[in-house]
Amino acid sequence: LAVRMLERLGHRVDHVENGFQALRAMCQNEHDLVLMDIQMPEMDGLELTRAIRAREAGSAGPRLPIMAVTANAFMEDEPGWKEAGMDAYLSKPFSPRTLEAALRDLLDSASDSSREVSTPAVTAVS
């Protein structure tokens, strides 16, 4: 459902099933942000975020914005997401309008950090 919402908003979406596939997709194509489920098989969202941030630490490229998507959005969980390197989160279920606003806020803050966003390419991991 989220993939269809993203496509209707004009985003090019690479949808993958787990963290290992997401890392492979990010190596093959450039993305403007990652919309990531916290609970995934094989590699959860926190592990994947740490792996992405570790890769970025070894490069001169810009920081990739990562938005967590979860049905378990409790205030006490947010510090763990931030510590892993996530930039924002969105609670399920969400409407197309809520998704659009959250993405706009995240991309705006990323572009304020001098990250140039040319095409709205998203990796959706669920």
Side-chain angles (χ1 to χ4, degrees), residues 3 29 64 81 97 100 116:
V3 170
N29 298 303
L64 181 65
W81 301 338
R97 184 173 294 157
E100 182 177 23
E116 187 176 318

Side-chain angles (χ1 to χ4, degrees), residues 4-58:
R4 280 187 257 148
M5 286 183 195
L6 289 163
E7 290 172 341
R8 285 187 179 143
L9 292 170
H11 297 279
R12 181 182 57 80
V13 180
D14 291 329
H15 177 252
V16 296
E17 300 292 324
N18 63 55
F20 294 114
Q21 292 174 0
L23 282 175
R24 190 173 324 119
M26 285 183 258
C27 289
Q28 294 172 346
N29 298 303
E30 208 170 302
H31 296 88
D32 295 313
L33 69 95
V34 176
L35 190 66
M36 183 180 322
D37 201 329
I38 295 291
Q39 297 177 346
M40 299 180 291
E42 299 183 43
M43 179 188 287
D44 70 24
L46 297 176
E47 290 175 281
L48 176 56
T49 299
R50 288 183 190 105
I52 292 168
R53 295 302 181 222
R55 272 188 46 216
E56 289 175 339

